[in-house]
Amino acid sequence: MKREEKIPNLVEVLPLGGFDHPLTYGAKQSLYPSLQVGSLVRIPLGARRVIGVVSSLEPEHIPPREKLRFISNLVQPEPVLSAELVNLAKWVSSYYASSLENTLGAMIPASVRDGMSAKTRRMIEVNLVSDEKINNLLARSPKQLEAYSKLKELRGKRVDAVEWEKNEGFSSVVIDGLVKKGLVKQSVAEVERTAYADQWSEGTDDTVDSLLELTNEQTRATKEIFEDLNSGKFHTRLLQGVTGSGKTEVYCQAMEKALASGGGVLFLVPEVALAPQTVDRLRARFGKHGEQVVVWHSHLSAGERLDAWRNLAQGKARIVVGARSAVFAPVMNLRLVVVDEEHEPAYKQEDAPRYHGRDVAVYRSYLNQAVCLLGSATPSLETARNVECEKYQKSVLSQRIDGRELPLVHLVDMRREALKQKVPPILSQQLVEALRQRYEDCEQSILFLNRRGFNTTLFCTDCGEVEQCRDCSIAMTYHRTDHFLHCHLCGYRKPAPQICGNCQSLEIRKKGHGTQRIEDVVESVMPKRARVVRVDADVMTKKNLFRQILRDFRQGEIDVLVGTQMIAKGLDFPRVTLVGVIDADLPLRMEDFRASERAFQILVQVAGRAGRGDRAGEVYVQTYAPHESCIQFSRRAELDAFLEEELSLRKELKYPPYRHLIRHVFRGRGEEKTRFYADQWRKKLDSSQVSGVEIKGPAATPLAKIKGYYRYHLFYLCSSVNHTLSQIQKIRSEFPIDKEIFDYLDVDAHQVS
Ligand code: ADP
Ligand code: ZN
Ligand code: ZN
């Protein structure tokens, strides 16, 4: 009888480097025991050697013996991903139709992948010897004697050499001398580069929560969340709280509870730079108890990211705060995920992997049987729908803290203002007067300007009408090249009208205003001494400038702050009593079925900036469409009424959240060729009997050309993403496409440009 050949140990590995399926490799007997799911290994792939992540110790696919290749070596002893994150990566790449490589790339910092080592620093401590010996050794070196005496005062404490030398004013030569004489011991320590450790503190007391007595509503919400946490099961809960209702305190309570049970916490904000106060509050609150709060954001240096990553993966830090990519942070034993401002579009990543941070947060909570807490004053329609069908639970904070009133909102009808003057004004007379009054009263104002749209839709300044597609109910895009209006969803087009279809006026316009122009206008109408400062995307690119401006504003050194969405949310300035919204209906003129939702959310958020102190706030909203329901509902922050109406509209049109929207983009340098392939693809789909999908397009994107590429897209509306993707991907694999044309899928697309 033939002796049975020994079967080698098999493991499944996800290669990082141009191959997008897990592959099965053999592992040598000496290596196998140190492999875990998540280990980073080096493997042969074709003629190359690449890095890969062990994804399973029980591979499904067993290759024939003679084809089997072996893992070369283990890159570093600790696994780079937990088994949980490996599962999350698999889900993200399949749901969002992105390569595993891209997904893992988003999860594992480049520095970790490259096996970069932690930075070290030189530590010194005094070596105590007799006075006699000192006198002998240092008699002729007064500097060394002085340094030695200083170090002696530390009573044997180890200190960072560079830092100490700098603080005490000694050169390193002095210390070197002491080391040579054996009077100072030196050693090496790993450095932790705590990100933005001091920069984040705005240095104010009112951001530090002393222990607050919870309001009744906070108490109830907290109790409900505690029950979720105690169950040890997966729950998603919406914390729906008006602006200033104290949601952060509820998050903190939940975090304390999760930490007390030994768990880790993930706290997501739409953008870290826009949430300095939240970060400060968390730091102040949890830093006190010796918890390290890791701040995770895109400006971390490679070293900082590596350290943050290590501290989490090793369980030294249990709290991470960050923007969407932090959803992949290696928090151990995850018990709670908080998604603040869950409705923010910034949670959707626009490059591969095109995931939605909030939805990944929910899925990750599910994998961990943890609690996911979604907070907002203006929940997304998606979340509202999930609450409605009881997939998510809801806790409500309906009152502002201390019973403060929501600010009074005045709608300013800009159609009337436009009639009074030749050129439609930027600021209405009412708003100008209100601004001057605040200045007289030594109170502060915020002027909010919506992000510039593409300025390519047509609207009537006499009646506020926006030209819409007859089929898709979204604003149509004006194309300068052919003077046609295009629907970028279905591709329908018609000549651009010369007169308004609603009121026959000739006042059809295409332009919006930039922040610079508005700053100039404000300066021109305000008294000379008034200080007007503008915040826009340029300011955000300069490190710390934004923080400086916020600090000045808080300290009353700025009278009017002009800006886009950076100043719309999260900020809490007690002395602001006036908020002006310059163009409330701009989002309505954008080519997006989410236009009303955005307009409503922004208005409520911005209005929430007023009257957060002792004095009541007032809001002036300039609009050409005061009749629009999103504008009307936002006046009194009538969330439920708005959600109800908007949900029923979406239901009728079968838009998200009633179906999923997948966007398929074709991109190429030649316009003809790009359109040709998009058209061919549509024909291919039509002849392929795709089921359960409504297909729209192809259409040119609203911004037809970006960075030299023309883009055409199709939209798939469907109930099941999996079902749709598997059909589309199969057909796509049989559809030959020119190598100069690229295409990609964007699942649950937000961006439609
Ligand atoms: P939201 O996030 O809901 O807009 P915040 O969490 O920023 O509201 O809270 C608004 C303000 O109310 C903050 O200054 C906060 O410190 C304060 N606050 C929160 N809860 C309480 C409480 N129970 N008692 C007193 N003040 C509170
Ligand atoms: Zn009109
Ligand atoms: Zn259309």
Side-chain angles (χ1 to χ4, degrees):
M1 209 172 94
K2 219 174 110 193
R3 238 183 67 199
E4 205 175 312
E5 207 177 332
K6 201 168 169 300
I7 303 166
N9 302 304
L10 297 177
V11 294
E12 184 189 86
V13 180
L14 306 173
L16 301 175
F19 194 86
D20 216 42
H21 307 283
L23 292 171
T24 299
Y25 282 85
K28 297 255 165 60
Q29 202 56 47
S30 56
L31 184 65
Y32 188 68
S34 37
L35 293 181
Q36 303 172 44
V37 171
S39 292
L40 194 64
V41 291
R42 201 165 274 117
I43 44 169
L45 183 70
R48 293 177 302 152
R49 285 219 292 167
V50 301
I51 288 191
V53 177
V54 174
S55 54
S56 168
L57 297 177
E58 286 150 18
E60 280 170 28
H61 180 75
I62 315 268
R65 187 71 205 256
E66 62 281 7
K67 288 234 178 110
L68 187 68
R69 301 183 81 177
F70 283 81
I71 292 177
S72 317
N73 64 300
L74 184 62
V75 176
Q76 60 172 44
E78 318 101 60
V80 289
L81 290 179
S82 59
E84 170 230 344
L85 285 173
V86 171
N87 287 333
L88 189 65
K90 287 181 181 169
W91 179 80
V92 167
S93 61
S94 94
Y95 184 85
Y96 291 103
S98 80
S99 69
L100 264 169
E101 163 124 50
N102 271 330
T103 311
L104 291 170
M107 283 189 171
I108 311 169
S111 46
V112 174
R113 236 183 305 170
D114 302 344
M116 184 178 143
S117 63
K119 197 176 150 194
T120 57
R121 53 185 182 159
R122 185 165 81 133
M123 306 294 288
I124 49 170
E125 67 193 277
V126 71
N127 200 7
L128 288 176
V129 294
S130 67
D131 287 352
E132 196 191 332
K133 204 164 173 193
I134 296 293
N135 287 337
N136 278 340
L137 285 168
L138 300 180
R140 282 191 292 147
S141 324
K143 267 280 164 204
Q144 287 185 8
L145 183 60
E146 196 190 328
Y148 183 83
S149 315
K150 277 259 154 66
L151 268 175
K152 210 169 140 187
E153 287 166 17
L154 297 173
R155 297 161 196 270
K157 197 173 144 221
R158 261 191 350 151
V159 292
D160 181 305
V162 175
E163 223 167 78
W164 187 83
E165 286 160 8
K166 203 173 86 195
N167 291 344
E168 301 292 338
F170 293 104
S171 82
S172 61
V173 180
V174 178
I175 299 297
D176 288 345
L178 288 169
V179 170
K180 262 197 211 120
K181 291 177 183 168
L183 297 176
V184 164
K185 283 188 280 196
Q186 65 175 353
S187 52
V188 170
E190 272 193 17
V191 191
E192 283 168 21
R193 287 153 286 216
T194 309
Y196 280 20
D198 29 33
Q199 291 176 43
W200 276 113
S201 167
E202 232 191 292
T204 50
D205 309 328
D206 54 350
T207 55
V208 180
D209 289 309
S210 45
L211 279 181
L212 300 168
E213 198 181 318
L214 297 185
T215 63
N216 287 342
E217 287 189 326
Q218 283 176 323
T219 306
R220 175 151 22 92
T222 305
K223 193 168 151 268
E224 287 164 345
I225 299 162
F226 282 9
E227 279 165 17
D228 295 346
L229 282 165
N230 284 335
S231 76
K233 293 225 168 63
F234 166 58
H235 284 276
T236 305
R237 180 174 291 277
L238 167 65
L239 179 62
Q240 179 182 308
V242 299
T243 52
S245 60
K247 291 186 287 295
T248 313
E249 181 56 31
V250 175
Y251 301 148
C252 287
Q253 296 279 338
M255 289 169 73
E256 274 171 0
K257 174 86 178 172
L259 293 168
S261 68
V265 177
L266 196 57
F267 193 112
L268 300 182
V269 291
E271 201 183 308
V272 172
L274 302 186
Q277 294 181 353
T278 306
V279 174
D280 287 346
R281 268 153 82 176
L282 296 180
R283 274 242 157 96
R285 175 85 163 239
F286 294 98
K288 254 196 328 242
H289 309 305
E291 277 304 331
Q292 195 182 328
V293 178
V294 171
V295 182
W296 190 276
H297 56 88
S298 56
H299 304 301
L300 290 186
S301 70
E304 285 169 341
R305 189 171 297 269
L306 181 68
D307 290 342
W309 207 84
R310 285 230 166 110
N311 284 339
L312 289 166
Q314 295 169 357
K316 278 195 219 155
R318 300 193 291 164
I319 305 176
V320 59
V321 191
R324 65 174 173 250
S325 66
V327 75
F328 299 125
V331 180
M332 278 168 65
N333 192 17
L334 189 63
R335 299 301 325 133
L336 175 70
V337 183
V338 177
V339 184
D340 193 21
E341 311 284 2
E342 66 84 25
H343 61 276
E344 279 296 328
Y347 281 118
K348 183 67 161 70
Q349 163 115 341
E350 303 297 356
D351 304 315
R354 298 180 172 80
Y355 62 93
H356 196 296
R358 174 199 60 219
D359 297 340
V360 175
V362 172
Y363 194 80
R364 190 169 175 196
S365 304
Y366 160 73
L367 284 180
N368 286 280
Q369 294 294 302
V371 173
C372 190
L373 192 56
L374 309 177
S376 178
T378 52
S380 63
L381 273 283
E382 282 76 5
T383 295
R385 172 74 186 139
N386 279 323
V387 169
E388 190 184 69
C389 59
E390 294 178 6
K391 261 166 96 178
Y392 299 173
Q393 280 74 52
K394 176 165 89 168
S395 299
V396 179
L397 305 178
S398 63
Q399 304 291 323
R400 279 188 152 186
I401 293 294
D402 295 344
R404 274 175 230 145
E405 290 291 314
L406 281 172
L408 189 62
V409 177
H410 308 277
L411 294 186
V412 182
D413 189 341
M414 292 305 278
R415 298 173 303 182
R416 289 214 199 110
E417 294 283 323
L419 282 184
K420 287 189 231 156
Q421 301 171 40
K422 267 213 195 79
V423 184
I426 292 179
L427 296 180
S428 61
Q429 204 49 44
Q430 293 172 64
L431 184 51
V432 169
E433 271 155 30
L435 281 167
R436 288 181 181 150
Q437 189 59 50
R438 295 306 135 138
Y439 177 71
E440 297 280 298
D441 297 346
C442 296
E443 293 173 5
Q444 292 177 301
S445 307
I446 289 180
L447 276 185
F448 176 78
L449 164 79
N450 269 305
R451 182 178 61 106
R452 276 179 60 177
F454 309 116
N455 289 335
T456 46
T457 50
L458 288 187
F459 82 106
C460 169
T461 57
D462 279 348
C463 76
E465 181 81 1
V466 180
E467 287 287 337
Q468 289 199 331
C469 171
R470 51 174 194 186
D471 293 331
C472 308
S473 301
I474 58 165
M476 294 184 80
T477 309
Y478 175 74
H479 283 216
R480 216 157 283 155
T481 42
D482 58 3
H483 301 291
F484 267 58
L485 288 176
H486 294 239
C487 170
H488 77 91
L489 244 161
C490 70
Y492 170 70
R493 40 184 291 211
K494 64 178 185 187
Q498 302 295 316
I499 57 168
C500 171
N502 187 45
C503 76
Q504 279 73 50
S505 156
L506 290 167
E507 297 299 324
I508 289 197
R509 293 165 49 81
K510 305 182 204 74
K511 278 265 171 282
H513 308 290
T515 35
Q516 170 72 59
R517 174 97 184 88
I518 286 165
E519 186 189 8
D520 295 346
V521 171
V522 176
E523 274 178 342
S524 72
V525 300
M526 292 296 282
K528 276 238 151 38
R529 306 247 298 283
R531 291 147 302 178
V532 180
V533 171
R534 166 172 54 108
V535 180
D536 59 14
D538 297 342
V539 167
M540 300 304 292
T541 58
K542 294 185 192 102
K543 216 177 167 184
N544 288 332
L545 183 54
F546 181 53
R547 297 176 56 75
Q548 182 62 45
I549 291 175
L550 291 185
R551 196 175 300 146
D552 291 350
F553 192 52
R554 179 179 294 282
Q555 286 168 0
E557 282 159 25
I558 295 171
D559 300 304
V560 184
L561 192 63
V562 182
T564 52
Q565 56 249 51
M566 292 117 199
I567 60 171
K569 57 199 163 206
L571 306 176
D572 191 358
F573 297 110
R575 269 174 289 186
V576 173
T577 55
L578 173 69
V579 168
V581 181
I582 291 176
D583 47 5
D585 41 0
L586 183 64
L588 291 180
R589 287 178 243 139
M590 303 225 282
E591 314 77 347
D592 190 349
F593 66 88
R594 288 192 171 90
S596 301
E597 180 182 357
R598 270 320 274 159
F600 178 82
Q601 287 166 348
I602 291 171
L603 283 176
V604 173
Q605 291 291 332
V606 178
R609 296 310 113 215
R612 290 174 76 100
D614 300 332
R615 313 187 67 158
E618 252 186 324
V619 182
Y620 284 85
V621 172
Q622 301 191 152
T623 172
Y624 284 95
H627 48 276
E628 285 288 344
S629 57
C630 59
I631 306 244
Q632 286 293 336
F633 287 134
S634 72
R635 263 188 96 174
R636 295 184 211 292
E638 289 168 283
L639 176 65
D640 292 334
F642 172 74
L643 289 176
E644 193 181 320
E645 179 174 302
E646 188 62 19
L647 277 174
S648 76
L649 204 72
R650 298 273 185 93
K651 189 172 188 175
E652 195 181 306
L653 297 163
K654 296 198 191 145
Y655 278 141
Y658 291 90
R659 286 192 293 182
H660 291 276
L661 180 76
I662 303 174
R663 181 186 185 222
H664 191 171
V665 180
F666 287 78
R667 192 164 69 90
R669 294 214 178 265
E671 182 170 19
E672 286 302 312
K673 206 187 241 180
T674 313
R675 184 182 5 193
F676 174 79
Y677 276 97
D679 283 338
Q680 289 301 108
W681 169 249
R682 170 77 205 229
K683 286 188 188 130
K684 173 88 182 168
L685 284 180
D686 287 341
S687 64
S688 301
Q689 280 158 12
V690 191
S691 69
V693 193
E694 183 191 342
I695 305 166
K696 287 190 177 237
T701 61
L703 292 172
K705 195 176 173 188
I706 294 182
K707 293 181 191 153
Y709 283 96
Y710 290 92
R711 297 167 330 137
Y712 283 81
H713 54 192
L714 294 95
F715 289 90
Y716 312 130
L717 284 150
C718 61
S719 327
S720 163
V721 169
N722 280 342
H723 179 65
T724 304
L725 285 183
S726 65
Q727 299 179 81
I728 299 282
Q729 284 164 335
K730 180 162 180 300
I731 301 168
R732 176 67 184 82
S733 68
E734 297 154 2
F735 178 73
I737 189 168
D738 190 286
K739 67 177 188 308
E740 285 172 10
I741 306 290
F742 306 90
D743 70 326
Y744 64 81
L745 294 163
D746 182 0
V747 176
D748 294 335
H750 267 243
Q751 199 180 37
V752 286
S753 49

